[in-house]
Amino acid sequence: MTLDHDPSDLLPLVDDYRSNQCFVHPQTCRWSCGNQCAHPAPNESRNDYFGDVARRYISRRRLLGFGALAAGMLVVGRQGVFGAETARAQSGGSSSGLTFTPVRLDDTDRIIVPPGYKSEILIRWGDPLFLEPATGFDIDAQTAEKQARQFGYNCDYLGFIPLAPNRALLIANHEYTNPELMFRGYDDKNPTKEQVDVELQAHGVSVVHIERHPTRGWRYTLGAWHNRRITGTTPMRFTGPAAGHPWMRTSEDPSGYTVLGTLNNCAAGITPWGTVMTCEENFHQYFANNDKVADKEKQAVHKRYGFPGGASERKWERYHKRFDLAQEPNEGFRFGWVVEFDPLDPGSLPRKHTALGRFKHEATSTVIAKDGRAVVYMGDDERFEYVYRFVSDGRYDPNNREANMRLMESGTLFVAKFNDDGTGRWLPLVAGQGPLTAANGFPTQAEVCINTRRAADLVGATRMDRPEDIEVHPQSGVVYAVMTNNSQRGTSGKPGVDAANPRPQNRHGHIIEIIPDGDHAAATFRWRFLMICGDPAKDKGTYFAGFDQSLVSPISSPDNITFDRRGNLWISTDGQTSSFKKNDGVYAVPVSGPERGYNRQFLSAVPGAECASLIFSDNDDTLFVSIQHPAEGTTLENASSRFPDGKEPRPAVIFIRKEDGGTIGS
Ligand code: FEO
Ligand code: CA
Ligand code: CA
């Protein structure tokens, strides 16, 4: 198979894109990513920005004949090896099973799903999780104590862990807070201590027991034993090479082994041993005064991660000195990690695993290599940052969960190099190897873990268009990596297009397929595009795996992804309110067979919201979707959305079922 669209055609389109301004809504930028686009991308390295690589790439791929890729798909997946289902998925002849009538882009304040489907609310910000004391939600009487016992704000990642027929745990990340939508008359110049403390408790993660009733669908279980809140103050400990390092020590934790809380938890992943690995993304925004850090080496590392000089937007440093880098220069090093916890044990201590590196972690996707080692795929979601992989030292033992829960404590971190001929290599980030010398600031592996971005710069990794979710196909083993967008690609003074990021001012994003060379632990891989997103009716630069573009639904800013049991890819978006001036949505696209690339919109969300995450129930009769920050960009007094109850906007998890109870997508 050859590509029917030549991405080199994209190059003249540079003049069609109007500005290099951040195009996401200003409030989204402010609270979600801490205005990343408003300051220069912190990656000033010179890695990989060959101007005309796209042309070379396409011509070489035609010579290589990439039809071989489909036949070469792996048979190693999330649970190890797949049998008949894999063969069926690889035959290319099976139907996708997707027969729903697509919905259209919309801008009204209602959830829209295809005919024959219905959406319902499962849980909202502020809903109580515990019985005693009662913590019913009253937006005008909110306290930090109540919030610590309620569902948090801005539900992002969703995980589904079946416990028994019709019983499961729902995992939800609470990525960030929108105080102007949480507090009436919020004064961003003078937040109160009570407001700041409510926000600290509104961050983190919720574990919620849910039950399926025969007729009423899913309900969450108030007071269930498994229910748990992890917040911005929950104690946790460090593992791995950087634990206890002098740069990890603070006045409150002279050991460098313990920390309070997890912040800006974006996406996550469920490991094969049933733990959750949740990811700290835009942690820089909670800290102030990097310009006053006395140690210039520390200040430079903080700058590489985007820590601001002066006051932070949130101003938490006024009430909690650990967020003031001038007073606690090391506290910033204690965020930006992958956090593992056991959802089956509400009393367990979460652990921040330093071996997996420190960057703006988007998500984790964990699979088992042929030799039993655990392999974790991860993205660093900022413009021109990198795709990573971790390979554990130890081996997965299906009969020893306790041992598996230590696999993330030691291993090798790699960063991806995408070559322009459709091949790629995982470059090891190991102190003492190549440029990672003491002279370059890496005397031990601890420094590699703390300053991972700089290590990746030095080894020559490929600078990507904001790596968001990365997931492994459960049947084929192909790795799907989402690049959400990058408005600065190819603009003045910024890296130009390259083979894996072929569109200048990439406003709509793209999805890459990574095909490991025989095993997830292999040193090399091949890669190709599944999608280059946008509206084909208006944008010649789109690509949908060769499928007839006149039939597909327009899509922009893909963010999180999951697979249904038939192997179709489902995508949630974060950015269409700006790029299309329409609401974000959920899409489904087959990745194999005759409908490969046939992208169809399944759901339209509400104004100001992103569809932050999506996950299927164990039998695919329910799709859970998180509706994050409805009405973002407005205020509580003048909200653009009244989702979900026609009153104050509240982030919520919804679930969608067929009215006849059938499989989602059919
Ligand atoms: Fe929180 Fe990268 O999305
Ligand atoms: Ca995301
Ligand atoms: Ca997002």
Side-chain angles (χ1 to χ4, degrees), residues 560-611:
N560 282 358
I561 55 176
T562 194
F563 299 94
D564 64 28
R565 293 204 305 171
R566 293 177 298 248
N568 300 304
L569 181 69
W570 291 68
I571 307 163
S572 59
T573 69
D574 176 11
Q576 292 187 166
T577 53
S578 172
S579 60
F580 286 159
K581 307 299 183 212
K582 299 288 185 181
N583 296 338
D584 276 304
V586 169
Y587 296 78
V589 58
V591 297
S592 63
E595 292 183 331
R596 174 177 157 83
Y598 184 11
N599 183 57
R600 280 165 277 186
Q601 185 168 358
F602 180 79
L603 179 149
S604 174
V606 297
E610 67 173 280
C611 283

Side-chain angles (χ1 to χ4, degrees), residues 156 175 266 281 362 381 466 468 559:
D156 196 312
E175 185 180 17
C266 191
E281 193 188 21
E362 171 68 27
D381 180 9
R466 291 189 53 197
E468 289 260 17
D559 187 341

Side-chain angles (χ1 to χ4, degrees), residues 506-527:
N506 183 9
R507 189 177 178 115
H508 301 297
H510 57 279
I511 300 177
I512 294 174
E513 291 175 319
I514 297 170
I515 302 96
D517 280 340
D519 183 53
H520 286 292
T524 57
F525 58 86
R526 290 170 288 165
W527 65 271

Side-chain angles (χ1 to χ4, degrees), residues 212-372:
R212 177 176 17 210
H213 295 267
T215 54
R216 293 189 297 134
W218 292 89
R219 296 289 184 271
Y220 85 90
T221 316
L222 177 64
W225 182 84
H226 284 98
N227 288 358
R228 182 177 191 185
R229 277 304 320 280
I230 293 170
T231 74
T233 59
T234 302
M236 35 195 84
R237 72 175 172 89
F238 293 107
T239 78
H245 185 277
W247 281 24
M248 302 289 277
R249 300 172 191 165
T250 67
S251 61
E252 290 181 344
D253 172 31
S255 75
Y257 279 93
T258 61
V259 62
L260 295 181
T262 183
L263 293 171
N264 214 271
N265 297 74
C266 191
I270 309 288
T271 63
W273 49 97
T275 58
V276 178
M277 293 219 290
T278 179
C279 297
E280 298 182 324
E281 193 188 21
N282 291 297
F283 55 93
H284 64 291
Q285 64 178 283
Y286 302 93
F287 295 86
N289 298 322
N290 188 36
D291 54 334
K292 298 184 182 67
V293 171
D295 184 322
K296 297 307 171 196
E297 190 181 354
K298 291 179 181 177
Q299 185 182 65
V301 176
H302 284 329
K303 186 179 178 189
R304 179 66 182 83
Y305 285 79
F307 285 81
S312 71
E313 286 283 337
R314 296 179 179 273
K315 302 180 177 55
W316 290 6
E317 68 274 10
R318 291 185 184 175
Y319 305 110
H320 300 280
K321 75 166 190 174
R322 66 180 174 130
F323 297 115
D324 181 353
L325 294 170
Q327 298 187 65
E328 289 285 357
N330 291 350
E331 184 73 359
F333 296 127
R334 292 144 61 86
F335 291 82
W337 304 102
V338 171
V339 185
E340 183 180 18
F341 70 92
D342 183 1
L344 302 180
D345 180 359
S348 60
L349 193 67
R351 294 164 298 147
K352 296 192 179 190
H353 291 306
T354 68
L356 277 66
R358 178 171 167 271
F359 44 89
K360 292 178 183 175
H361 277 280
E362 171 68 27
T364 61
S365 186
T366 306
V367 290
I368 306 301
K370 288 176 178 172
D371 65 2

